[in-house]
Amino acid sequence: SLLEGRLVLATDGVHEQRNAAGLTFDFSRIEQVLEQSKGTSGDVEAIIRALHDFAGSRFDDDVTVLSLERRA
């Protein structure tokens, strides 16, 4: 339904983060993480964990993720 759904917002520090090889954690990687997530309660943690696994413990920019869900 159009009244239901999940909205995930992230700052550019997420999708522009580079790993040691210079690859970015682009939108396709975010989409893959969200496809495995069970809902809003796991979205933020899953994205941050995947970003950490991808780039290590130091991020190049601020990283903010917000996940909201609307139920009819």
Side-chain angles (χ1 to χ4, degrees):
S1 145
L2 292 175
L3 298 177
E4 295 181 358
R6 189 167 68 191
L7 174 67
V8 179
L9 304 171
T11 57
D12 63 348
V14 176
H15 68 271
E16 292 178 354
Q17 178 61 48
R18 295 187 181 276
N19 65 9
L23 300 173
T24 59
F25 191 83
D26 55 28
F27 291 108
S28 64
R29 292 180 199 275
I30 296 170
E31 185 177 358
Q32 290 173 359
V33 171
L34 292 175
E35 286 174 354
Q36 301 299 316
S37 179
K38 303 262 189 264
T40 57
S41 62
D43 289 348
V44 174
E45 183 179 344
I47 290 172
I48 298 299
R49 185 181 312 118
L51 189 63
H52 187 275
D53 291 346
F54 178 79
S57 61
R58 182 178 160 102
F59 299 147
D60 297 331
D61 197 356
D62 64 294
V63 170
T64 303
V65 180
L66 173 68
S67 182
L68 304 168
E69 183 175 27
R70 178 181 168 114
R71 298 179 186 153

